[in-house]
Amino acid sequence: MSGEDKKLASTALMVMGAIAKNQQGSEFSAQVTQRIAESLKASQSQQTSAALIAALGNSGDSKHEALVKDYLQGDSSRLRAQAASALGKIPGDSSLTALSSQLNQESDSKVQSAIIKALGNNDLTADHINTVYQYASSSTNRDVRSGAIDALSLQAKDNASVRPQLVQLLKSEKNKRNLGQLMKALYGS
């Protein structure tokens, strides 16, 4: 299979996950997500596994959350990051706990960024918000800060106490892209 064919197949899988989400609760959705989960268990390719994990995340089906969590602690940073993103699309206490736990032990900055960004899709406690803020304000990696800014931006929509933290970040952030994110979070498009 050519690189372009693999990319097309990966895209098709992710779309199938989104279609399953739109049909959530139906027999069709259950069959699609079960087939994706079975394919993930049998997958030998990192690229295919990443696409299947993304598809399960896109489905929003918490039935397969445990399978996705397994990849959050695997050897591949690519699959850990994809699992974090997928769990962010299946928000809840269980995924929040898994993401928080993995963040405490994760050393790869791309995975940290994905975990922090995924945390933002949950209803975070003040402690979680403070942890995310610490990454936004003190990480030397701009992608980690970007993920934290995304997470805080999502929280600011329902939690007015986050806005002053975003204002503080605006005063200290030097990266143009991250500054743009902060401006959008604070003042809209």
Side-chain angles (χ1 to χ4, degrees):
M1 195 183 282
S2 74
E4 192 170 312
D5 288 343
K6 287 180 182 179
K7 195 176 214 178
L8 183 60
S10 294
T11 301
L13 286 170
M14 291 184 276
V15 168
M16 287 305 294
I19 290 170
K21 182 173 184 147
N22 289 336
Q23 301 292 319
Q24 212 163 29
S26 70
E27 184 177 331
F28 171 77
S29 177
Q31 289 174 349
V32 167
T33 58
Q34 185 61 38
R35 175 66 187 204
I36 293 169
E38 289 169 3
S39 296
L40 178 57
K41 290 175 189 174
S43 176
Q44 299 294 315
S45 156
Q46 222 183 70
Q47 182 174 352
T48 301
S49 294
L52 290 163
I53 292 167
L56 284 176
N58 287 346
S59 77
D61 188 346
S62 60
K63 178 181 175 189
H64 303 289
E65 186 176 340
L67 176 60
V68 174
K69 283 182 196 175
D70 289 343
Y71 287 89
L72 189 62
Q73 298 175 349
D75 293 335
S76 166
S77 61
R78 177 182 183 185
L79 295 182
R80 289 195 312 274
Q82 191 61 63
S85 295
L87 288 171
K89 295 177 182 178
I90 311 171
D93 291 341
S94 178
S95 65
L96 178 60
T97 299
L99 291 165
S100 296
S101 176
Q102 186 63 28
L103 180 59
N104 291 330
Q105 52 191 314
E106 187 58 59
S107 59
D108 185 280
S109 61
K110 288 185 189 236
V111 181
Q112 284 178 338
S113 178
I115 291 170
I116 294 167
K117 189 173 180 177
L119 284 170
N121 291 323
N122 289 276
D123 185 18
L124 298 182
T125 65
D127 286 342
H128 285 117
I129 289 171
N130 287 334
T131 297
V132 172
Y133 176 76
Q134 288 305 310
Y135 278 94
S137 63
S138 64
S139 178
T140 58
N141 185 287
R142 73 176 169 89
D143 292 328
V144 171
R145 292 193 317 275
S146 174
I149 291 166
D150 277 345
L152 290 171
S153 298
L154 289 170
Q155 295 301 302
K157 293 176 183 174
D158 296 322
N159 185 340
S161 68
V162 175
R163 187 174 174 81
Q165 291 176 316
L166 292 170
V167 170
Q168 192 60 40
L169 291 171
L170 187 61
K171 295 175 183 178
S172 62
E173 182 60 54
K174 304 289 187 235
N175 180 270
K176 270 183 151 179
R177 184 185 72 183
N178 292 358
L179 283 168
Q181 285 177 267
L182 286 163
M183 294 296 287
K184 185 174 181 181
L186 288 166
Y187 308 111
S189 31

